[in-house]
Amino acid sequence: MTSLSALFHSFFKIGLFTFGGGYAMIPLIEAEIIDRRGWLAREEFLELLTLAQSSPGPIAINTSVFIGYKTRGIAGAAAAVCGAVLPSFAIILTIAIFFAQVRHNPVVDAAFKGMRPAVVALIVVPTIALARGMHPALIAVAVASALAVWGLGMSPIWLIAAGAAAGIVWTLKIGKEVRR
């Protein structure tokens, strides 16, 4: 059984070494939870990730809640969330205290500019990983959805709602055909 301290420690480590937000955490969460700890199967992780993306709130927190809950219930969810949030909270608090002194420091500015490409790569990697198991038609839908958001300014909320409705209709239709 997964211990609460192991959940806390794993998500604390992930939170401590991830810059760039929740999507940048996904490859680290995947490596820690699936490859290193073996707490979830890859398919199960992708399902939880899909759920985390469709739920309100930051994806890193949603993912930690779902993984913690899946492995140890409510206490596991609390341990995972605390582990994921504590490093960011401490770092932001420290930055807020000292920001006025370092905001015009060229070394700090250069460090953040240097991290930007790495953060982009950390966001692209899980996107490609999620697309690997998808049917080509679903990849086309994902690309069309991205273009609708970026090019047309369409609200992602409508796309998520339409996707959920289409998934329900598709499953009910396929389910009826399979039962026959």
Side-chain angles (χ1 to χ4, degrees), residues 94-179:
T94 304
I95 289 171
I97 291 169
F98 297 108
F99 181 70
Q101 298 167 357
V102 298
R103 71 176 170 205
H104 298 297
N105 185 323
V107 174
V108 172
D109 188 46
F112 281 114
K113 285 181 182 174
M115 282 189 267
R116 225 176 267 154
V119 169
V120 170
L122 288 172
I123 293 170
V124 170
V125 167
T127 303
I128 292 170
L130 283 171
R132 276 192 196 140
M134 290 175 66
H135 188 278
L138 294 177
I139 292 173
V141 169
V143 170
S145 297
L147 292 174
V149 171
W150 292 326
L152 303 175
M154 191 172 190
S155 171
I157 294 170
W158 293 112
L159 293 170
I160 291 169
I168 291 168
V169 169
W170 180 267
T171 301
L172 292 175
K173 181 180 179 196
I174 296 297
K176 286 181 181 178
E177 290 176 9
V178 170
R179 284 185 225 134

Side-chain angles (χ1 to χ4, degrees), residues 17-90:
F17 293 107
T18 306
F19 293 92
Y23 286 101
M25 288 176 121
I26 294 170
L28 296 175
I29 294 171
E30 184 177 10
E32 177 75 11
I33 302 307
I34 298 169
D35 301 333
R36 185 165 180 268
R37 301 283 188 160
W39 290 338
L40 297 175
R42 192 165 308 280
E43 295 77 28
E44 195 173 26
F45 175 75
L46 291 175
E47 289 172 4
L48 287 175
L49 189 60
T50 301
L51 184 60
Q53 289 175 339
S54 61
S55 301
I59 189 166
I61 302 305
N62 291 348
T63 303
S64 63
V65 166
F66 294 140
I67 291 170
Y69 185 79
K70 179 76 177 167
T71 56
R72 281 297 305 270
I74 293 174
V81 167
C82 288
V85 169
L86 190 58
S88 297
F89 176 76

